[in-house]
Amino acid sequence: MFGNLRSATLSIKQSLCNSLGLPFPELLEIPELDELVKDTKVNYYNRIYTPLVTLLAFMAVNAH
C-alpha cells in the first residue's frame, strides 16, 4: 500500500518539476492570486519582490 502511495507521490513531484508555470494551473491563476494579495491590505513598496512575486517564487521552489 505505501509503495503505491510513494510511487504516486514521486510521479506527481516529477511532473511538477518538469512543468512550466504554476503548479496546479487549473486551480491557481495569476489574476486571482494578485487579487488575494491586494485583499490582504498589506502595505508594501511596488518593487521587484512584491508579495505576489514572493508567493510565486516560494511555490516554484517548493514544487521542485
Side-chain angles (χ1 to χ4, degrees):
M1 178 174 135
F2 291 111
N4 290 338
L5 181 60
R6 179 173 170 74
S7 175
T9 303
L10 290 174
S11 175
I12 291 169
K13 181 179 179 184
Q14 189 63 39
S15 68
L16 286 174
C17 288
N18 293 334
S19 67
L20 298 174
L22 286 172
F24 313 111
E26 66 278 0
L27 300 177
L28 301 171
E29 295 184 9
I30 297 293
E32 290 175 1
L33 289 174
D34 192 37
E35 197 62 37
L36 286 172
V37 168
K38 288 177 182 173
D39 287 347
T40 64
K41 304 209 186 310
V42 172
N43 292 327
Y44 64 91
Y45 293 105
N46 194 10
R47 305 282 192 228
I48 293 172
Y49 296 106
T50 64
L52 179 60
V53 171
T54 304
L55 176 63
L56 295 174
F58 177 80
M59 290 169 46
V61 168
N62 286 302
H64 299 280

